[in-house]
Amino acid sequence: MQLPEPSKIETGTSILFLGAGFSAEATNTKDESIKDVESLITYLLGKVGIASSEGYDLDTASEEFQKVYGDEATVVSLHNNFRTKVYTEDQATIVTQPWRRIYTTNYDDVIETICSDSRKSITKHDVRDSVSQPMPSTTQLLHIYGDIGRASAQEFAQAFLLTERQRDNSPFLKSPWMRAFQNDVLAASSVVFVGFSISDIDIRRLLGLLPSEVHEKIHFVTRTEERQPIITRMSKFGTPHPIGLSAFAAHLGRKRPGAAVTTYTVLPVTIHEMFYTPKLTASVSAPDLERLFISGVPDLDKLSQADISAEPGSYTISRSRHAYQRAGNNASGVMPILVNSDIGNGKTIFADQIGYQYAQKNYRVFKFQREPDNIGDILAYLQALEDSALLIFDDVMRFPKLPTAILELRKSNLVILATVRTSFLDTSLSAVKSRLGNATCVQIDLDSPQRDETKRTVEYLAVNGLLGKYSNLTDNEKLDFVEKTCGSQLRDIVLSLYETGVLHSRVEELLINVQKLDKNAQDLIIFSAILTQAGYQELSEVWLLTELLDYSGALEDLRASLNKQELGSLVRIDQGDLSIRSPALAEFILRRVFNLGTILDVVKRALTSVHNNLTSEEDLVKMAKGLLKFSVYSRIIRSDRENVLIERFYDDCRLLSFAASDPLFWVQRSICTMKNKQFDISFRFIDNAYGLARSRRNWDTYQIDNHKARVLLTQSHENGVSVDGSREKDALSLLQAVLARKNDDLYHPLSVMRIYAEIVDKYIHTLTFEQKNSLKHSIESAIRSISKFRHTGRFRNLTELRSRLANSVKALD
C-alpha cells in the first residue's frame, strides 16, 4: 500500500499520530537531542544509581526516579529534556500539513514550536478537556499522555502519564477523546503514524479493535533500520514504511501551513454510493432468500423491476403501489420522503427499493453511514454535485444536523429519503420534524398496509415456499394468517417463519452456533441485540461495546470466531461496528438463546461502566437511560415468573447516578411493579417521581400523569371498578390535562383511554348502577376530549378508538 498522496492530505481529512521517534532529531533547551524512550529510561535510572536498564520500561524507570527525587525534580528533568530549541526542516514539513487532528503520545513541545514559527493555526488539548470540533482552517492537537507546557508539579500528579501508577489509571481510555480517536480513524481518508513503535499497549489495543478494512488506510512511517519484529507487529494494523522522516517529508514536498484545499469531487468517506442495475427480473435462488430473511439486508444486484411491480419471482416483498408512486412522484428538493414503521417492519429494504426506483430515473443513490463531526465536506460535495441524487438517511434520528443542512441548500436535484421508527413519530414528532428542517414530507407508513400489499405478501410467501406448515391453508386463511395472526406486520411474519416456517431449521442451527462462542463474545452479542431492540444501533461501535463490557480480545479474533461458527449472516462486524443484522433477528436471539437473567446482568454491567467512567458523554447517558425502559425487555419476558428478575434489575440500577435522581426512572420502576400487580408499590414510586420532578425547574409531569392514569385504570381492570367510580374519574382528569397542554407525545395518553373499553368489556354484567353512571360519564368525557383533539391525522387508530369507546357507552345504557 502506497503512502497517501499529498493532494489527499491537502484536503484536511487525514489524521497524524506522532510517537517518540518523531522528536528524536529535535534539540532541547540544554542543546541536547530530545531523548527517545530508551535514552530517557537510561538517564532516569542512572540518576538513581541503577546501571542497567534491562527489564525497565519508561513507566517503571520514572517510578524509581520519582521515589528518590519527588515530583518537583521529575518535572525539572522533564522540562530540561522536552522543551524545544531547534527542530529540523523535515519535522516542520510533516507538521505543517492541514491535518484534521494531530494526536501525540509525546510530552515535548516540538509541534507547538514548529506551528508558532510557521504561523500554522492549531488548538491544543489534553484528555481532561472536553472534545470539540477543530475550528475552520485549524488543526487540533491532542497530547494523550501529558504536555510539557502544563508540567508543574501539580499538573504532573494530575495529568502526566509517565509513571507506572499513572499509566495504570490512564484517563485517555476513560475519556471522550478515546471515542473521538476511534471515530477519527473510521472517518479519516488516511491515518499516518510517524515515529511510533507500536509498543504503547493502550494505542495498540485501540488499533486491535478496528476492522481490517480500516487497516488499509493506516500507515506507519518509521526509521530505515527498524527491527523486523516491530515491522511485523505494525503489519497487523496497517502498512509499515521504514523510510525515515526525511523520505516522508520529501514525499509531502513542501510546507502547507494554510487552510485545507476544499475538494468537490471526492466522495466523502461517510457516504456510501449504491449501484443498481435496471432489469425486469433477477435470478433469485432459495439461498438468496434465506440470506435476505436472516440478515434483513438485500443484495442490490438482486433487486429488479419485479420488486416494485410485485411480479412473480421478485427478490423482496413488494409494498403498496401507492407508496411507490408517492415516493417516486411527489418528493422534491424541499419535500423529503419520510418512511416510518415499527421495529423490523422493513424500512431499510423499502428504502433500498426506492433507491432502485430512482436509479431507473438516472439518479445517483447515496446512503449515509454516520454523521461526521464536520459536515462541511459533505455539504461542499453536494453543493458542487450536478447529478440528480437520492440521499438515504436510514434512521434519521441518528443525524441531528446533516439532513436539515442539505435541505437548506435548496437544490432541486437532491431528494432526501429518511426512515424513522413509528414510536418516534408517535411520541416525539417535533424532534423528528426538526431533523428534517420542519419541512413538509411525503410520509409513507409501512405499519398500515393496504389489502393489495397483504395480498402481495401472501403471494410472495407462497411462490417462494416460505409458508412452511401454513402452505396448506386456503387463500383466505393465508390472508388471515398475515393480517390477523401477524397483524400485517413484517416483523411478526418473519418471526413466525423463524418459529415454525421453513427458515426455522436454518435459524436454529445458527442459534446453536451462538452458544458455541465464548462467554465474552456472547455478552457482546447480547448487548448489541439489546441496543438494536432499544433503537441505539448507532452505538454498536466495537470499541464502545468492548469498553462497556470490559472485553479484552481483538476485533479480528472476534471476527474469526463468528466466521468459524458461520454467524456472518446473523452478526455484522465491519466499519468498526458489531450489530445484529435485523431487529426481528435481534429479538429472536434474545428470546431463544439467552435467559433473561443473563441479559439483564450484561446490561447492568454496561450501565455500571457508563456510571463509573462515561457520564460526561451525553449520548451514552441518554442510551443508558433508554435501556432502563421496561418496554426494552417486555417483548422478551417469557412468563410472569421472570418479573422478579426485572424488579431485581431495577433495585440494583437505582444506585446509578443517571437513575436515582431521574423522575422517569421511577416511572419505569412503577411500570414494572404495575405489571406484577403490586399497585401500592407502583403508586409509591409515582409519588417519588412527582417529588423529584418538583425539584426541577419547569419540568412537565405529563409522562408521570399519563402513567399514573394507566396504573389507576389497570388497577380497575385487574381488581374491579371503584365503588363510586372516583378512581376512573381521577384517571380521566390526568389524561385530559395532558391532552390540553401538550401538542406532542400524545400517543400514550390516547392509548390509555382504550383501557376504559376493556374495563367495560370485563365487568359490564357485574357493575352497579352508580358504577355504570360514573363510568359512562368518564367515557363520554373522554370521547369529547378526542373530538376536540387537533392532531387527528397523526394517530391512525384514533377513529377506531373513538368507535370503541362509543360502543362502551352504549353497553352501559
Side-chain angles (χ1 to χ4, degrees), residues 45-302:
L45 292 175
K47 285 295 184 179
V48 296
I50 299 175
S52 173
S53 62
E54 185 177 353
Y56 281 92
D57 56 18
L58 182 57
D59 303 342
T60 52
S62 302
E63 194 82 40
E64 297 289 352
F65 186 91
Q66 190 184 20
K67 281 192 294 187
V68 175
Y69 293 104
D71 286 349
E72 195 68 47
T74 306
V75 171
V76 171
S77 296
L78 293 174
H79 272 271
N80 288 340
N81 183 58
F82 292 124
R83 281 293 189 186
T84 305
K85 182 176 181 180
V86 179
Y87 51 83
T88 69
E89 279 300 303
D90 292 336
Q91 289 171 319
T93 299
I94 292 170
V95 168
T96 54
Q97 304 297 317
W99 307 103
R100 172 170 168 75
R101 280 196 179 108
I102 299 176
Y103 292 87
T104 181
T105 53
N106 300 339
Y107 314 109
D108 59 66
D109 60 0
V110 173
I111 301 167
E112 293 92 321
T113 304
I114 291 172
C115 291
S116 176
D117 292 348
S118 303
R119 296 185 180 181
K120 173 178 171 59
S121 180
I122 63 167
T123 55
K124 187 168 66 169
H125 300 270
D126 69 24
V127 295
R128 295 171 301 166
D129 299 324
S130 59
V131 175
S132 60
Q133 296 312 305
M135 299 184 335
S137 304
T138 302
T139 293
Q140 202 173 67
L141 168 64
L142 177 73
H143 280 278
I144 291 176
Y145 291 146
D147 171 12
I148 194 64
R150 296 186 178 184
S152 65
Q154 182 180 6
E155 287 292 318
F156 175 82
Q158 292 179 353
F160 249 60
L161 300 182
L162 187 66
T163 68
E164 186 172 341
R165 169 178 51 80
Q166 290 167 329
R167 291 288 291 276
D168 283 346
N169 296 283
S170 169
F172 175 62
L173 294 179
K174 305 299 182 183
S175 77
W177 284 103
M178 176 180 168
R179 191 174 184 190
F181 173 72
Q182 288 282 336
N183 289 336
D184 272 353
V185 175
L186 291 171
S189 56
S190 61
V191 183
V192 182
F193 288 77
V194 179
F196 185 71
S197 68
I198 211 75
S199 61
D200 187 299
I201 193 168
D202 292 346
I203 305 303
R204 195 164 72 236
R205 177 172 177 247
L206 296 182
L207 294 176
L209 294 174
L210 296 170
S212 57
E213 304 92 290
V214 175
H215 294 165
E216 296 177 3
K217 61 182 178 181
I218 294 178
H219 303 268
F220 296 97
V221 175
T222 185
R223 59 188 181 179
T224 54
E225 67 276 17
E226 190 63 83
R227 291 172 294 176
Q228 186 57 45
I230 293 178
I231 296 293
T232 301
R233 181 179 289 171
M234 287 177 173
S235 299
K236 296 178 181 179
F237 308 112
T239 304
H241 301 275
I243 59 175
L245 265 64
S246 295
F248 183 48
H251 172 77
L252 295 173
R254 61 183 174 84
K255 298 179 182 179
R256 298 178 179 85
V261 176
T262 303
T263 178
Y264 301 104
T265 58
V266 179
L267 187 68
V269 293
T270 54
I271 304 178
H272 169 64
E273 184 163 8
M274 304 170 70
F275 296 98
Y276 300 86
T277 303
K279 46 189 173 288
L280 292 177
T281 59
S283 175
V284 180
S285 66
D288 291 332
L289 296 175
E290 178 184 285
R291 284 190 290 271
L292 172 64
F293 271 80
I294 292 176
S295 72
V297 180
D299 179 348
L300 298 187
D301 288 337
K302 301 294 180 182

Side-chain angles (χ1 to χ4, degrees), residues 578-594:
L578 172 70
S579 58
I580 308 303
R581 289 191 174 272
S582 76
L585 192 57
E587 180 181 326
F588 194 69
I589 290 172
L590 291 170
R591 282 167 43 185
R592 291 293 299 273
V593 179
F594 303 105

Side-chain angles (χ1 to χ4, degrees), residues 221-384:
V221 175
T222 185
R223 59 188 181 179
T224 54
E225 67 276 17
E226 190 63 83
R227 291 172 294 176
Q228 186 57 45
I230 293 178
I231 296 293
T232 301
R233 181 179 289 171
M234 287 177 173
S235 299
K236 296 178 181 179
F237 308 112
T239 304
H241 301 275
I243 59 175
L245 265 64
S246 295
F248 183 48
H251 172 77
L252 295 173
R254 61 183 174 84
K255 298 179 182 179
R256 298 178 179 85
V261 176
T262 303
T263 178
Y264 301 104
T265 58
V266 179
L267 187 68
V269 293
T270 54
I271 304 178
H272 169 64
E273 184 163 8
M274 304 170 70
F275 296 98
Y276 300 86
T277 303
K279 46 189 173 288
L280 292 177
T281 59
S283 175
V284 180
S285 66
D288 291 332
L289 296 175
E290 178 184 285
R291 284 190 290 271
L292 172 64
F293 271 80
I294 292 176
S295 72
V297 180
D299 179 348
L300 298 187
D301 288 337
K302 301 294 180 182
L303 288 174
S304 69
Q305 183 59 34
D307 293 83
I308 308 299
S309 60
E311 296 296 326
S314 67
Y315 172 53
T316 57
I317 294 177
S318 301
R319 311 307 288 245
S320 165
R321 292 185 179 89
H322 183 59
Y324 294 125
Q325 291 168 356
R326 294 186 67 227
N329 301 329
N330 296 355
S332 69
V334 294
M335 184 178 288
I337 305 164
L338 181 62
V339 180
N340 72 276
S341 81
D342 198 357
I343 179 173
N345 264 0
K347 297 182 294 295
T348 299
I349 292 178
F350 181 78
D352 290 345
Q353 291 174 338
I354 299 302
Y356 174 87
Q357 196 174 3
Y358 271 78
Q360 285 185 302
K361 300 193 296 183
N362 294 320
Y363 276 66
R364 294 175 69 181
V365 181
F366 300 102
K367 181 173 285 190
F368 290 81
Q369 307 294 326
R370 63 182 77 222
E371 179 167 299
D373 296 332
N374 177 18
I375 64 174
D377 294 337
I378 294 176
L379 296 178
Y381 176 82
L382 295 176
Q383 183 70 61

Side-chain angles (χ1 to χ4, degrees), residues 331-338 407 415-418 436 439-443:
S332 69
V334 294
M335 184 178 288
I337 305 164
L338 181 62
L407 286 166
V415 176
I416 286 178
L417 186 155
L436 294 168
T440 301
C441 296
V442 177
Q443 190 166 333

